[in-house]
Amino acid sequence: VTGSLPISLQSCQCLAWKPRPVGLWPCPGESQHVVAGYSDGTVRVFSVSRTEMELKMHPHAAALTAITYSTDGEMILSGGKDGIVAVSSPRTGMTIHVLADHKGSPITVLQCIRKQYHDFGVEGGELWLATSSDRRVSVWASDWLQDKCELLDWLSFPAPAGPEGLDSLPPSLAAFCPWEHGVLVYVGFGLQKEALFYSLRKKQVLRKISLPAFATSLSLSPAASFMAIGFGDRLLRLQPCPAGDPQDYAGHDDTVHLCRFAPSGRRLLTASHSAVLVWELTGA
């Protein structure tokens, strides 16, 4: 650790690195940035090299639960505990969109990807999705320069009634599939313990992969056709897709609540209550 970012009295709930423009190398002296969402509803942008906060915005009335940059780094998408999604500009500090479609249920995932839109009959510079704790996923096509944001699909996954409260249930998680365009993967509390592959073109579930338990974390490899899934019994699974024998690994002391592949796909970071592990993937 070469430095520390300013300390806040509020707790940081989520963060994301600013992506670099495709095809461009870092300029000399260029600062990397991270954006963080806080429990007081604020979004804060930090310069890593200068270890200082450069911007503070307040687009939410509730604690932040998910945050990400648009693919070009020009917009920040943030989701709150109350289900509100805000789109804000780090250049101006202004919030340009507030979406209440998931209102009432905490946002668990926000993800943006570059995409070609002629296949879906809509215009835009990227696709993005929002997932909430009530097992709903919304998929959007956006062109931020043209101030366009269009709902492309709305998914709602059934689940049995349970005696537990919503906070005690496994999280609802979704991600765009890197190796199969137009497909997203969903895991969450439901009728069966499984991962669902849903086609945005066909508007249907293409296939299902059975799981040993309800997933607590999910990440899809950008370099190979497999995904990492964490579970509540300290288990990490690498699952080949669309079929193949899974590989299970122990090593965590508690629920594996975070899986995240590196952009190269050669390393995988996983985290539990008091352990952070980095895995080297020799076959990736």
Side-chain angles (χ1 to χ4, degrees):
V1 177
T2 58
S4 60
L5 296 175
I7 296 176
S8 169
L9 297 178
Q10 301 294 330
S11 60
C12 179
Q13 307 292 308
C14 47
L15 59 84
W17 286 91
K18 181 179 180 179
R20 296 189 184 279
V22 175
L24 296 180
W25 292 95
C27 299
E30 179 186 15
S31 175
Q32 286 186 298
H33 291 84
V34 294
V35 61
Y38 281 77
S39 58
D40 62 351
T42 59
V43 171
R44 312 181 195 196
V45 178
F46 296 93
S47 165
V48 176
S49 60
R50 292 193 291 271
T51 63
E52 65 181 19
M53 184 173 67
E54 294 187 345
L55 178 65
K56 180 180 178 180
M57 301 176 285
H58 203 156
H60 293 272
L64 272 289
T65 53
I67 199 163
T68 191
Y69 275 96
S70 61
T71 55
D72 59 7
E74 293 299 316
M75 292 295 166
I76 294 170
L77 286 73
S78 53
K81 190 175 182 180
D82 57 1
I84 299 298
V85 175
V87 182
S88 307
S89 169
R91 292 184 180 272
T92 65
M94 300 294 292
T95 298
I96 63 172
H97 288 288
V98 176
L99 305 171
D101 299 73
H102 290 268
K103 186 176 181 180
S105 185
I107 301 299
T108 54
V109 177
L110 291 169
Q111 185 190 10
C112 300
I113 61 167
R114 291 182 176 86
K115 199 74 176 177
Q116 298 293 325
Y117 299 101
H118 57 271
D119 291 339
F120 302 106
V122 295
E123 297 180 356
E126 66 185 15
L127 286 185
W128 63 275
L129 64 78
T131 309
S132 50
S133 294
D134 56 0
R135 302 172 301 279
R136 294 185 296 171
V137 182
S138 60
V139 182
W140 305 77
S142 297
D143 187 338
W144 305 121
L145 294 179
Q146 300 296 323
D147 196 29
K148 293 181 179 179
C149 187
E150 180 179 349
L151 181 64
L152 182 63
D153 209 338
W154 180 266
L155 313 178
S156 183
F157 296 94
E164 301 88 1
L166 189 63
D167 290 341
S168 65
L169 296 178
S172 301
L173 305 171
F176 291 110
C177 187
W179 60 84
E180 193 169 358
H181 292 173
V183 172
L184 63 83
V185 179
Y186 171 85
V187 296
F189 180 67
L191 301 176
Q192 303 292 334
K193 301 177 179 70
E194 57 192 5
L196 305 178
F197 286 72
Y198 177 85
S199 170
L200 294 170
R201 295 187 180 95
K202 297 182 178 180
K203 307 291 185 181
Q204 66 183 35
V205 173
L206 298 177
R207 57 187 174 274
K208 305 175 182 180
I209 294 180
S210 296
L211 302 176
F214 290 115
T216 55
S217 54
L218 172 72
S219 185
L220 277 62
S221 171
S225 300
F226 64 89
M227 55 187 179
I229 309 170
F231 299 97
D233 56 358
R234 301 175 292 178
L235 179 71
L236 171 68
R237 168 167 289 191
L238 292 182
Q239 175 69 58
C241 299
D245 295 330
Q247 304 173 53
D248 291 337
Y249 300 92
H252 282 281
D253 58 352
D254 206 334
T255 298
V256 184
H257 63 77
L258 176 70
C259 297
R260 193 74 75 241
F261 280 102
S264 66
R266 296 185 179 276
R267 289 185 174 88
L268 173 69
L269 182 144
T270 60
S272 58
H273 175 68
S274 60
V276 176
L277 304 182
V278 179
W279 307 78
E280 189 80 24
L281 304 176
T282 56

